[in-house]
Amino acid sequence: MDKPTYNTAIVRSFIHWSLLWGVVAILVGILISFQLVNPNLNLPPYFTYGRLRPLHTNAGIFGWAIGSFFALYFYMVQRLCRRPLWSDGLARFQLYLFNFTIIVAAVTLLMGFTQSKEYHELEWPVDILVVVLWVIFSINILMTIFKRKEQQMYVSLWFMGASLIGVAILYLVNSAAIPVSLFKSYSAYAGANDANVQWWYGHNAVAMVLTLPPLAIFYYFLPKSTGVAIYSHRLSIVAFWSLVFMYLWTGAHHLLWTPIPDWVQTLAMAFSIMLIAPSWGSVINGYLSMNGQWHQMRENYLVKFLILGITFYGLQTLQGPLQAVRSFSAFIHYTEWVPGHVHMGALGWVSLVLFAAFYYLAPRIYGRELYSIPLANLHFWLVLLGQLIYSVSMWIAGVQQAGMWHAIGTDGSLTYSFMESLVAMYPYYWVRALSGVIYIAGVAVFIYNLAMTARRGKPLAPAVA
């Protein structure tokens, strides 16, 4: 049987660009972390915390994460379907449109054009670019799946397909707005309804963008890296369907103790707790896939990234439901605990899995062996250390902050003023900024290793290339 000719060039291009936007996201994140400890670093009007913070999150989500998913979806779908991409030309056009959209998004955010919705700040003209980008990507992936030569649909394809459809629905519904000028619009929803739709979008964006794609990648690259099949394909499919069903009802847990109806909040709280089961279905499947293979944690640098990644996913999916419980939410919401939780997912779960996938692909897209495995191990320990320092320091800060906010004296007055609670956070803000420096040092080692692989790695045996 003739071996299909796969498009590797488009995979390589998306990897390079997603790395660039990922570095931008981290650098901006480090800058705003230092702005919190030294306000003089705010340079109005364009480089203030208020404008740089959405740039940081959008570059991280749309540039680094989604750019990486573009690359890895194109790589996986060709091999899982045993056929080339449906359209190479469409994929090339998507690459240009992707970078154009990221640049326009960055410029408009710095100029202050925003819808003021978290994770959906982009104004309506940029929204249209995002929709076009996602539609052409979805068409290319879905048409490749429909015309596949492999009858069996591996679980990664299910996760990929669901993320394509899910993101499209979420983005279109939450984008509904009335434009009043070229870069200003107002939401089509009002008041509590607007908040409900926004957090239905916000939390499900976590599901469709930062959960399903990394799981698709994990399920593909873990067996590839270990040389052993996943423990149970059936368990992965059960976890997939239950995860997709339960996630849709959880968004309102961001709105506990608000004017949203109590029954909506309770429903979201209940589904958030139930979500632990399908989430841990994938975690347990990953661990059981390592039966008899745990020695690879010492011997195989790829496995370290993947297993620590799925472990952080497991911790994330325990901590998230805990935060969705009313009593705990009342204590911890709006404190520094929350960015600690979010960054465990972004830096620990999503990024570790992406690093592993890129390392796996490096020899295959450059035709050379990885330049240095010791550097890959150094990269692992640096990003792990940076992520742990970040999250743990923010969790401690959040508990202290919440304690100070809730402390009440014998006369019923607040024990601490807001300024006292803010000043108490400064040591933690310094630690957070330091953790960002450690993390980006690890990313610099990673990029150096990839660059040296492309330039000086030993030529790869034809069977692997």
Side-chain angles (χ1 to χ4, degrees):
M1 182 181 294
D2 294 336
K3 185 177 180 181
T5 302
Y6 299 135
N7 186 341
T8 304
I10 193 66
V11 176
R12 184 168 55 239
S13 296
F14 268 113
I15 286 177
H16 292 166
W17 282 105
S18 65
L19 285 172
L20 173 65
W21 299 126
V23 169
V24 170
I26 299 172
L27 286 174
V28 175
I30 293 173
L31 173 58
I32 61 177
S33 69
F34 278 106
Q35 284 180 336
L36 287 174
V37 290
N38 184 0
N40 291 326
L41 293 176
N42 284 270
L43 302 175
Y46 303 112
F47 300 104
T48 58
Y49 182 89
R51 294 193 183 184
L52 287 173
R53 196 268 181 179
L55 176 62
H56 164 62
T57 55
N58 279 268
I61 295 171
F62 292 100
W64 162 237
I66 292 184
S68 301
F69 300 151
F70 287 159
L72 296 168
Y73 274 30
F74 282 143
Y75 181 87
M76 292 188 295
V77 76
Q78 295 180 85
R79 284 147 184 87
L80 291 173
C81 295
R82 289 197 297 117
R83 59 149 293 151
L85 282 180
W86 181 67
S87 172
D88 290 333
L90 204 57
R92 177 59 56 179
F93 174 70
Q94 180 191 330
L95 177 67
Y96 298 136
L97 183 60
F98 166 68
N99 287 302
F100 177 72
T101 304
I102 295 292
I103 292 169
V104 172
V107 171
T108 54
L109 288 173
L110 290 177
M111 294 179 71
F113 298 122
T114 173
Q115 294 192 51
S116 302
K117 292 183 172 184
E118 192 167 18
Y119 309 134
H120 200 149
E121 291 89 352
L122 304 177
E123 270 294 355
W124 67 271
V126 192
D127 267 351
I128 293 174
L129 291 175
V130 172
V131 170
V132 173
L133 182 66
W134 197 259
V135 167
I136 62 174
F137 173 55
S138 301
I139 289 174
N140 214 354
I141 295 295
L142 293 176
M143 287 305 294
T144 305
I145 295 174
F146 290 149
K147 293 182 175 295
R148 68 186 185 277
K149 295 180 179 177
E150 172 61 52
Q151 188 175 8
Q152 172 78 20
M153 276 189 65
Y154 184 62
V155 65
S156 294
L157 291 177
W158 288 99
F159 278 107
M160 291 160 65
S163 68
L164 296 175
I165 297 168
V167 168
I169 295 171
L170 291 169
Y171 206 83
L172 284 173
V173 172
N174 201 44
S175 294
I178 302 170
V180 294
S181 69
L182 181 58
F183 283 109
K184 187 57 195 169
S185 63
Y186 292 99
S187 174
Y189 316 102
N193 287 334
D194 189 35
N196 207 7
V197 172
Q198 157 63 16
W199 283 111
W200 169 78
Y201 160 84
H203 198 75
N204 283 293
V206 173
M208 301 300 163
V209 177
L210 301 177
T211 301
L212 301 191
L215 282 173
I217 294 163
F218 176 79
Y219 274 119
Y220 182 87
F221 285 97
L222 181 67
K224 288 287 185 184
S225 300
T226 59
V228 179
I230 62 169
Y231 173 73
S232 170
H233 194 258
R234 179 174 298 177
L235 176 58
S236 69
I237 294 293
V238 171
F240 163 77
W241 283 109
S242 48
L243 188 79
V244 170
F245 172 70
M246 291 183 189
Y247 241 118
L248 294 174
W249 305 91
T250 60
H253 72 217
H254 288 263
L255 299 168
L256 300 178
W257 306 103
T258 70
I260 297 294
D262 274 355
W263 71 267
V264 176
Q265 299 179 31
T266 303
L267 185 73
M269 191 168 62
F271 271 89
S272 298
I273 298 296
M274 290 192 289
L275 198 55
I276 294 174
S279 302
W280 271 81
S282 290
V283 177
I284 291 171
N285 211 354
Y287 287 161
L288 292 178
S289 300
M290 292 295 293
N291 278 341
Q293 302 296 323
W294 286 105
H295 60 91
Q296 293 201 40
M297 285 290 286
R298 296 190 307 272
E299 303 161 356
N300 187 338
Y301 66 97
L302 294 174
V303 173
K304 281 202 290 272
F305 282 96
L306 289 165
I307 293 301
L308 260 294
I310 198 70
T311 300
F312 281 124
Y313 172 64
L315 295 174
Q316 186 86 355
T317 53
L318 288 177
Q319 198 180 56
L322 176 67
Q323 294 167 200
V325 176
R326 271 198 184 92
S327 54
F328 190 66
S329 176
F331 181 69
I332 215 68
H333 205 184
Y334 305 116
T335 71
E336 301 295 346
W337 173 284
V338 178
H341 167 70
V342 171
H343 282 77
M344 178 170 64
L347 303 180
W349 158 229
V350 178
S351 293
L352 286 184
V353 170
L354 292 179
F355 291 145
F358 282 11
Y359 274 128
Y360 180 87
L361 293 189
R364 291 157 179 83
I365 61 176
Y366 298 127
R368 296 174 181 276
E369 294 179 9
L370 187 69
Y371 174 70
S372 171
I373 292 177
L375 283 180
N377 283 317
L378 175 62
H379 165 215
F380 171 79
W381 288 112
L382 284 172
V383 296
L384 178 64
L385 181 64
Q387 190 269 311
L388 286 175
I389 292 176
Y390 186 113
S391 290
V392 173
S393 65
M394 289 298 99
W395 294 335
I396 297 172
V399 171
Q400 179 175 342
Q401 194 175 30
M404 295 180 75
W405 287 352
H406 290 82
I408 297 177
T410 53
D411 61 350
S413 63
L414 293 174
T415 304
Y416 301 99
S417 69
F418 176 77
M419 283 305 297
E420 286 174 316
S421 69
L422 179 62
V423 170
M425 292 297 104
Y426 269 58
Y428 301 107
Y429 290 166
W430 278 110
V431 173
R432 172 165 62 182
L434 173 65
S435 72
V437 174
I438 295 172
Y439 197 91
I440 201 168
V443 173
V445 171
F446 171 54
I447 293 174
Y448 173 78
N449 207 1
L450 292 185
M452 293 304 289
T453 300
R455 294 180 58 189
R456 297 186 183 177
K458 294 178 183 177
L460 203 61
V464 179

